[in-house]
Each structure stands twice: as structure tokens, then as C-alpha cells.
Amino acid sequence: MLLSVDRPDAASATSLSYKVITAVAEREGVEPTEIEPPEYNALYEVVNPEALDSLFAPRENGAHRTAGRIEFDYCGYHITVTSDGEVDVSDRDQHRD
């Protein structure tokens, strides 16, 4: 699984970028470790995984960040990540105007 860097620590398993990889893998019916080139695009080709992970992370003083969401297309799916840590994976065709 190619994120921006390989991190063996437990925090990477609960990061938003890892949740995106896991959700796409579930939709594809494969293990998260199989979501990598050449069959799948690397997440960092679409969005900076470190920026995604820190976007909604608590501030250094522990205060929560503003509510929000980010949307992008990845591996043929439309991905929505919300500030509460939810990751929604839907068919990209459902989001075309």
C-alpha cells in the first residue's frame, strides 16, 4: 500500500488516508495492501496523504478543528472524507453533473 511513506506505527492504521485505502479495498473486494500500482493509482497521485491526515486532526493544544469535508475521485470512485472521520466511497458516475 503506497501512501506518502510507509509508517509501521499504529497511528497509520487509523489515519484518514488509511481509512480511504481500506474503504476502496472493501469496495474492490481486495486486501488494503493490494491497493497499489500498477493496478491501482497511488493515493498520493490524487491527494497528499499527510495533508489529508492532518486536515481534521486536533490542533496541538487539543482543540478540535472546524467541521468540514473534502471530496476527490480515486480509483474510479468518488471519495468523501468528513471532519468526524467518516469515509464514504461511492460510484463516480453518481456525482457527475
Side-chain angles (χ1 to χ4, degrees):
M1 160 184 46
L2 295 175
L3 296 172
S4 60
V5 294
D6 290 327
R7 290 178 283 173
D9 59 19
S12 66
T14 58
S15 68
L16 288 176
S17 57
Y18 187 79
K19 285 183 177 182
V20 169
I21 297 291
T22 301
V24 169
E26 185 175 308
R27 288 291 297 261
E28 291 287 301
V30 299
E31 291 296 316
T33 55
E34 296 179 53
I35 304 294
E36 61 182 40
E39 190 171 345
Y40 297 94
N41 293 333
L43 182 59
Y44 62 76
E45 292 179 0
V46 178
V47 64
N48 181 321
E50 292 172 348
L52 179 62
D53 293 343
S54 65
L55 183 63
F56 301 123
R59 298 181 187 275
E60 286 184 23
N61 66 3
H64 292 286
R65 296 190 186 265
T66 309
R69 70 182 194 196
I70 182 170
E71 298 182 31
F72 55 92
D73 290 336
Y74 175 60
C75 290
Y77 297 103
H78 185 80
I79 311 294
T80 303
V81 179
T82 62
S83 57
D84 61 1
E86 294 297 316
V87 175
D88 180 65
V89 178
S90 58
D91 292 329
R92 186 169 33 197
D93 293 338
Q94 293 176 345
H95 294 275
R96 291 191 179 179
D97 293 320

